[in-house]
Amino acid sequence: MEADRKRPRRLRCDAEQNRDRIIEAARRVYEREGLSASMASIARAAGVGIATLFRRFPTRSELIAAVFEDAMERNRAAAVAAGERESAWDGFREYVETVCGLQADNRGFAEVLTMNFAGARSLERARQEAFAAFSDLIGRAKAEGGCVRTSRRRIS
C-alpha cells in the first residue's frame, strides 16, 4: 500500500496530450517573449484553459523546468564534453559557441541559466554540473595560457 502512494500516477491520454501541448506552446512563447510571458498567453497558445495549465503546472517554475530540461541537459553535456577536450582553449571555444546557440534558439534559456530551481532537482543538478565543468575548464584554459590570447590585428 505504501509503495502505491509513492508511485506517480499515470496521466490519462488526454491529460498527457494537454501536458505536451502546454510544454510545446510554452517553448514557442518563451522563444519569442522570454520568461516574462504570461501564463494566460501560454494557455491560449496551447489551446487549453488557464485552469488546465495550472492543473498540469501549478507554478511558473515547474513549467519553466519542464520546457528547458532538454536544453539544460544539452548545456551540461556540452560543458562536460568541452572539459574532456585535450586543448582547454578548444573546449572553451566550443562550449561558448554551444551556449550561445542555445540562447539564440530560445531567448528564455539565457534567463534560465542564471536562475535557481530548488523544486526541479534534475534541472538544477544539470545547471550546477554545467557550471562546475565550465569553471574547471576556465581554470585549465588559464593554466594553459589559452584565455589570454590577444589578436595583433588592428581594427580600423
Side-chain angles (χ1 to χ4, degrees), residues 4-12 16 55-56:
D4 290 339
R5 278 191 228 136
K6 290 184 180 180
R7 190 177 322 143
R9 208 173 63 187
R10 186 168 167 84
L11 292 175
R12 293 184 332 256
E16 184 69 33
R55 196 169 22 261
R56 296 283 69 87

Short mmCIF file of all heavy atoms in Angstrom, two decimals, residues 4-12 16 55-56:
data_model
loop_
_atom_site.label_atom_id
_atom_site.label_comp_id
_atom_site.label_asym_id
_atom_site.label_seq_id
_atom_site.Cartn_x
_atom_site.Cartn_y
_atom_site.Cartn_z
N ASP A 4 2.30 2.02 -3.37
CA ASP A 4 1.31 2.59 -4.30
C ASP A 4 1.23 4.10 -4.15
O ASP A 4 1.05 4.81 -5.12
CB ASP A 4 -0.08 1.98 -4.07
CG ASP A 4 -0.14 0.53 -4.51
OD1 ASP A 4 0.71 0.13 -5.33
OD2 ASP A 4 -1.04 -0.20 -4.03
N ARG A 5 1.35 4.61 -2.94
CA ARG A 5 1.28 6.05 -2.72
C ARG A 5 2.49 6.78 -3.28
O ARG A 5 2.39 7.90 -3.69
CB ARG A 5 1.16 6.35 -1.23
CG ARG A 5 -0.26 6.23 -0.75
CD ARG A 5 -0.40 6.78 0.63
NE ARG A 5 -1.13 5.77 1.38
CZ ARG A 5 -0.84 5.39 2.59
NH1 ARG A 5 0.15 5.91 3.24
NH2 ARG A 5 -1.56 4.46 3.17
N LYS A 6 3.63 6.14 -3.29
CA LYS A 6 4.86 6.78 -3.76
C LYS A 6 4.99 6.74 -5.28
O LYS A 6 5.68 7.55 -5.85
CB LYS A 6 6.08 6.12 -3.12
CG LYS A 6 6.19 6.42 -1.66
CD LYS A 6 7.44 5.82 -1.09
CE LYS A 6 7.54 6.13 0.39
NZ LYS A 6 8.73 5.57 0.98
N ARG A 7 4.34 5.81 -5.92
CA ARG A 7 4.43 5.67 -7.37
C ARG A 7 3.64 6.80 -8.03
O ARG A 7 2.48 7.02 -7.70
CB ARG A 7 3.87 4.31 -7.80
CG ARG A 7 4.15 4.01 -9.25
CD ARG A 7 3.66 2.64 -9.67
NE ARG A 7 3.88 1.65 -8.62
CZ ARG A 7 3.03 0.66 -8.35
NH1 ARG A 7 1.92 0.53 -9.02
NH2 ARG A 7 3.28 -0.19 -7.40
N PRO A 8 4.24 7.55 -8.97
CA PRO A 8 3.50 8.62 -9.63
C PRO A 8 2.34 8.06 -10.44
O PRO A 8 2.46 7.02 -11.07
CB PRO A 8 4.53 9.29 -10.55
CG PRO A 8 5.72 8.43 -10.55
CD PRO A 8 5.60 7.43 -9.45
N ARG A 9 1.23 8.75 -10.35
CA ARG A 9 0.05 8.32 -11.08
C ARG A 9 0.22 8.63 -12.56
O ARG A 9 0.66 9.72 -12.94
CB ARG A 9 -1.16 9.08 -10.53
CG ARG A 9 -2.44 8.33 -10.68
CD ARG A 9 -3.54 9.04 -9.97
NE ARG A 9 -3.75 10.34 -10.59
CZ ARG A 9 -4.55 11.27 -10.13
NH1 ARG A 9 -5.20 11.08 -9.02
NH2 ARG A 9 -4.69 12.40 -10.76
N ARG A 10 -0.11 7.68 -13.39
CA ARG A 10 -0.01 7.86 -14.84
C ARG A 10 -1.16 8.75 -15.31
O ARG A 10 -2.30 8.59 -14.89
CB ARG A 10 -0.08 6.49 -15.52
CG ARG A 10 0.16 6.54 -17.00
CD ARG A 10 0.37 5.12 -17.52
NE ARG A 10 0.29 5.09 -18.95
CZ ARG A 10 1.31 5.37 -19.75
NH1 ARG A 10 2.47 5.67 -19.24
NH2 ARG A 10 1.16 5.32 -21.05
N LEU A 11 -0.83 9.70 -16.19
CA LEU A 11 -1.85 10.62 -16.71
C LEU A 11 -2.74 9.92 -17.72
O LEU A 11 -2.30 9.05 -18.47
CB LEU A 11 -1.17 11.82 -17.38
CG LEU A 11 -0.41 12.77 -16.48
CD1 LEU A 11 0.29 13.83 -17.33
CD2 LEU A 11 -1.31 13.42 -15.46
N ARG A 12 -4.00 10.35 -17.76
CA ARG A 12 -4.89 9.89 -18.82
C ARG A 12 -4.32 10.37 -20.14
O ARG A 12 -3.55 11.32 -20.20
CB ARG A 12 -6.29 10.50 -18.64
CG ARG A 12 -7.05 10.05 -17.44
CD ARG A 12 -8.46 10.67 -17.44
NE ARG A 12 -8.57 11.93 -18.12
CZ ARG A 12 -8.67 13.12 -17.51
NH1 ARG A 12 -8.66 13.18 -16.20
NH2 ARG A 12 -8.80 14.22 -18.20
N GLU A 16 -2.22 13.78 -20.82
CA GLU A 16 -0.85 13.72 -21.32
C GLU A 16 -0.70 14.58 -22.58
O GLU A 16 0.28 15.30 -22.75
CB GLU A 16 -0.45 12.27 -21.61
CG GLU A 16 0.99 12.09 -22.04
CD GLU A 16 1.98 12.38 -20.92
OE1 GLU A 16 1.68 12.12 -19.75
OE2 GLU A 16 3.08 12.88 -21.23
N ARG A 55 -3.37 23.06 -13.55
CA ARG A 55 -3.52 21.68 -13.06
C ARG A 55 -2.27 20.87 -13.41
O ARG A 55 -1.80 20.06 -12.64
CB ARG A 55 -4.78 21.05 -13.66
CG ARG A 55 -5.24 19.82 -12.96
CD ARG A 55 -6.63 19.33 -13.36
NE ARG A 55 -7.17 19.74 -14.63
CZ ARG A 55 -8.05 20.74 -14.82
NH1 ARG A 55 -8.47 21.46 -13.80
NH2 ARG A 55 -8.49 21.03 -16.02
N ARG A 56 -1.76 21.07 -14.60
CA ARG A 56 -0.56 20.35 -15.03
C ARG A 56 0.71 20.96 -14.43
O ARG A 56 1.65 20.24 -14.10
CB ARG A 56 -0.42 20.39 -16.57
CG ARG A 56 -1.52 19.69 -17.33
CD ARG A 56 -1.42 18.17 -17.36
NE ARG A 56 -1.64 17.44 -16.15
CZ ARG A 56 -2.81 17.03 -15.68
NH1 ARG A 56 -3.91 17.28 -16.33
NH2 ARG A 56 -2.88 16.36 -14.56
#
